[in-house]
Amino acid sequence: MKRIDEMNLKNKKVIIRVDFNVPLDKNLKIVDDNRIKESLTTIKYCLDNNCKIILLSHLGKVKKESDKVTKSLKPVATRLSELLNQEVKFIPATSGRLVSDAVNNMQDKDIILLENTRFEDLDGKKESGNDPELAKFWASLGEVFINDAFGTCHRAHASNVGISKYIKESCLGFLVLKELDNLLPIIKEPERPFVVILGGAKIVDKIGTIKNLVNIADYILIGGAMAYTFLKAKGIETGKSLIDEESLAFCKEMLDKTNKIILPIDHVKSLDMESDEYLIGDNINSEEIGLDIGPKTIELFKSYLEKAKTCFWNGPMGYYEKAIYQKGTKALCKIISNLSITSVVGGGDTASCVINMGYKDKFTHVSTGGGASLELLEGKELPGISI
Ligand code: AMP
C-alpha cells in the first residue's frame, strides 16, 4: 500500500479511517485522548492540502441497542474540534441520506466525523463482518481512502479493509507509518542486547508473539499474572494467583526450550486482591495471591535492562488498577526512562500505564495498538496494511 506522502491529495475529498477508540468514563468524558492527538498529523496534512475530510472510526464493541448511548463518538468530535481549533461536524449516523447529504454539502477544509462504525454491527455485523455493500457506500463518499487506524490493522472490517476495494486510491496515514517505522525494526534488526518485557494476565492471546520473540530476543523478562503461569509450569507454588490454565503446557514447552526467560524472584502478595494489606516475600503460600513484582525482581530486571540496547514492553507488572500494586510497573517506567536505549511500548494497558504515569515522552515509541502491535511482532502480515 502507498504512503500518504506519495499521493496527490490537493483539493481531494478524503476518507480517513482513524482510531478514536478512546476510554470514556461514566459521564462519557474522555479519560485518555492520546489516540485523538496521534491522529492530528494526518488530519492537519489533509487540511494543508485543502481537502474535504470525512472521518470514520469505531469506539468499543456495539452488541445491543443500549450500547449506542455509551459508545457514541460525539464527545470525540468535541475534543477533536478543541485540538484543531476548528469545527468538526458530528453526523449522528453511519450510512443513509443524513451521511450522503452532509458529505455533498462539504466545503474545502471541512471536517465531518460519522457516528461509530460499529453501530452497523447491530444490523448483521456489517462493519466487523466486512459487508461489501456497506464498504461500497463508505467508499462512494470520497476519492481517496487513508488508513490511519493502526489499532484495527489486524482486523479486516468494512471501514478499514473493505472500503479500499471500492475506492480509486488508498494509502497509509502518518500514524500507521510511524507505528511501522518503530515496530518493524524490532523484529527485523534489533540493536542487541534486545530485551522483551511481558506482563498482564492472559498468555493465550500472546502465544504467537512469544514464540516469535523467543527466537529474536536475547532475554524475556516476565512479570504480571503471566509470571505465575510460568512459575506454576515450573512446579513452583503460586497459591491463589491468577493462572492462565490453558497455557500451562505452552509455558512448560517454552521453559524447556530456552533459558532466555527470566521470572520474578520475589512478590508483592495478599490474601485478598481488594484488601489494602499486602506482604513482600520470595515465596507465595497456598493462601496468597501474587499481585506485583517485588523489589528484588525490580533489581533483577534492571540489571538486564541496563545492558540492553533495545527493549519492547507489553503488559503491566502487576494488578495496576489498584494503586498499591503499581510499583513494579512504575519502577520499570523509571528505569527505562533513565536509559539511552530504543524503548517501545506495545499499546493496550501498558501504553495507558506509561501515559498515565507521565512517562510517554521518555520512550522511543508508545504504540496506539495493543493487538495490532502484538500481531506485527508475531511476524504476521496485517490485513489493514497489506490492502
Ligand atoms: P492482559 O489483558 O493480558 O494484557 O492483562 C492486563 C491485566 O492484567 C490488567 O488488568 C492487570 O491488572 C492484570 N494483572 C497484571 N498482573 C496481575 C496479577 N499479578 N494479578 C492479577 N491481575 C494482574
Side-chain angles (χ1 to χ4, degrees), residues 254-299:
M254 284 298 114
L255 291 165
D256 288 343
K257 185 179 158 180
T258 175
N259 46 22
K260 291 178 180 178
I261 294 175
I262 313 297
L263 297 172
I265 49 172
D266 66 341
H267 316 275
V268 182
K269 53 195 189 160
S270 180
L271 293 172
D272 175 352
M273 268 179 97
E274 301 312 327
S275 129
D276 287 335
E277 281 169 33
Y278 64 87
L279 286 168
I280 295 174
D282 296 353
N283 302 305
I284 291 175
N285 72 34
S286 60
E287 292 305 308
E288 291 170 333
I289 312 165
L291 291 162
D292 197 3
I293 54 173
K296 289 184 193 168
T297 306
I298 293 173
E299 283 306 309

Side-chain angles (χ1 to χ4, degrees), residues 199-203 205-206 223-228 241-242 268 273 289-293 314-322 325 329 348-350 374:
K202 275 189 257 136
I203 297 178
D205 300 345
K206 299 172 190 166
M226 184 188 277
Y228 299 109
S241 306
L242 186 60
V268 182
M273 268 179 97
I289 312 165
L291 291 162
D292 197 3
I293 54 173
N314 180 285
M317 292 294 100
Y319 174 46
Y320 75 93
E321 288 89 340
K322 203 162 165 61
Y325 303 119
T329 305
D349 285 320
T350 332
L374 284 178

Side-chain angles (χ1 to χ4, degrees), residues 243 313 351:
I243 301 293
W313 180 8

